[in-house]
Amino acid sequence: LKEAPELKENVTAPYAQALEGLGLKLEDKQPKKAIRLLAKATELNPESIEANFHLGVIYVEAKQYPKAIKRYEKVIQLDPQYADAYFNLGYIYAVTKKYDKAEEAYKHVVDLAPPYLDEALFNLAMVQKRLGKKDECIENLKRAVIVNPKNKLAKKYLKKLSGK
């Protein structure tokens, strides 16, 4: 590229894609290297949903929550239907005790009805319990059990909170 800068437009996309692919492969075993690769990929292609999302995942694992939030918000900006980004935001807000924001994020997940809807409903219920919204909590636990009758945790908490 130094010798032929006019080629930059032709090589940027495949280079970003290659960095992203390598970053995804290294995500679990070499997270620091994966961060560098994925960050470079998003620098070259800021519209990459996967690179932004997986950077968020790595940042959550490292408890770098502000950086993770930034990445998940970017994913949602690019794809407002990306339930996993809302789910992970809900997690971050719950562990950082920002329960109002966690509730909002989990409500988005529930609205999107992903395959793990019962888990989203359960998490929403637990956040609502923290917020003192017992009736809504119980209602969402009931919904979680209806969606997945095998969800033992939802059944356990429903029984505990409703006395039934």
Side-chain angles (χ1 to χ4, degrees), residues 68-110:
I69 289 168
K70 180 180 172 188
R71 292 302 174 165
Y72 291 137
E73 286 176 347
K74 178 67 175 178
V75 169
I76 290 166
Q77 175 193 343
L78 295 169
D79 181 1
Q81 304 300 308
Y82 206 99
D84 292 1
Y86 288 107
F87 189 87
N88 291 1
L89 276 174
Y91 169 80
I92 292 169
Y93 291 135
V95 299
T96 57
K97 298 182 177 165
K98 295 176 183 169
Y99 299 119
D100 287 335
K101 286 186 170 194
E103 180 183 34
E104 184 181 324
Y106 285 129
K107 281 182 177 181
H108 278 291
V109 179
V110 170

Side-chain angles (χ1 to χ4, degrees), residues 24-153:
L24 294 177
K25 284 183 183 177
L26 298 174
E27 183 176 344
D28 293 327
K29 294 182 180 175
Q30 296 180 41
K32 288 181 181 177
K33 190 170 187 177
I35 286 172
R36 286 194 305 275
L37 294 167
L38 292 169
K40 182 66 176 175
T42 60
E43 183 183 310
L44 295 169
N45 179 14
E47 309 296 303
S48 172
I49 292 170
E50 288 304 306
N52 278 293
F53 179 79
H54 285 278
L55 269 171
V57 170
I58 296 168
Y59 287 140
V60 168
E61 289 292 319
K63 294 183 174 30
Q64 295 180 21
Y65 299 130
K67 289 181 178 182
I69 289 168
K70 180 180 172 188
R71 292 302 174 165
Y72 291 137
E73 286 176 347
K74 178 67 175 178
V75 169
I76 290 166
Q77 175 193 343
L78 295 169
D79 181 1
Q81 304 300 308
Y82 206 99
D84 292 1
Y86 288 107
F87 189 87
N88 291 1
L89 276 174
Y91 169 80
I92 292 169
Y93 291 135
V95 299
T96 57
K97 298 182 177 165
K98 295 176 183 169
Y99 299 119
D100 287 335
K101 286 186 170 194
E103 180 183 34
E104 184 181 324
Y106 285 129
K107 281 182 177 181
H108 278 291
V109 179
V110 170
D111 289 343
L112 294 170
Y116 51 88
L117 178 58
D118 64 309
E119 293 174 50
L121 286 162
F122 178 81
N123 288 1
L124 175 58
M126 294 299 96
V127 166
Q128 289 170 328
K129 180 178 179 249
R130 292 275 189 178
L131 290 169
K133 298 179 178 181
K134 185 178 179 183
D135 292 341
E136 287 145 301
C137 170
I138 290 170
E139 186 59 36
N140 283 314
L141 287 171
K142 287 178 184 176
R143 290 174 64 195
V145 172
I146 290 168
V147 170
N148 180 5
K150 294 180 181 178
N151 188 323
K152 292 178 184 177
L153 208 48

